[in-house]
Amino acid sequence: MNIRATINKLQSALITKGYIYKINTYQFYSEQQNRMITSYRITEKQPYRKKNGEMSKKDVELLNSCSQVEVLKWFAGKWEKRKNETD
């Protein structure tokens, strides 16, 4: 099973329901594990009020994990909640 492909399919399915979740990845070196680690950050645009009173949108972090399986479970959970919603 290709985890990344499954995540992409769930992400696309949620987009069709109007839920836009972005996945940002970044890497860092772990001296403890002596290897590069990839971290995943899921964000969503949410409205907020600026100091001057204007409304704007900003990315809000929903999940930060170094586990692709955890990201997959997160998307699967969101899909379970949203799949039966009508457009």
Side-chain angles (χ1 to χ4, degrees):
M1 175 175 86
N2 185 337
I3 294 173
R4 183 65 197 187
T6 306
I7 291 169
N8 288 346
K9 286 178 184 177
L10 288 166
Q11 184 181 31
S12 294
L14 285 161
I15 287 170
T16 66
K17 297 286 187 182
Y19 298 96
I20 312 298
Y21 301 110
K22 294 192 301 185
I23 305 170
N24 296 310
T25 60
Y26 60 94
Q27 290 185 316
F28 62 93
Y29 182 74
S30 169
E31 289 191 21
Q32 184 180 19
Q33 296 182 27
N34 196 31
R35 66 184 181 102
M36 295 300 292
I37 305 289
T38 301
S39 182
Y40 305 90
R41 182 175 181 246
I42 300 172
T43 61
E44 175 184 44
K45 290 262 187 214
Q46 293 183 359
Y48 78 102
R49 188 173 305 279
K50 293 181 178 180
K51 288 182 181 178
N52 64 6
E54 291 179 21
M55 291 303 291
S56 188
K57 288 188 175 188
K58 65 179 176 180
D59 283 333
V60 175
E61 183 178 289
L62 304 174
L63 177 74
N64 192 343
S65 175
C66 293
S67 167
Q68 245 187 347
V69 172
E70 190 175 339
V71 172
L72 175 59
K73 287 179 180 178
W74 187 92
F75 272 100
K78 287 293 181 189
W79 177 244
E80 278 300 311
K81 288 180 185 175
R82 310 290 190 206
K83 69 179 177 184
N84 293 323
E85 291 180 0
T86 55
D87 297 332

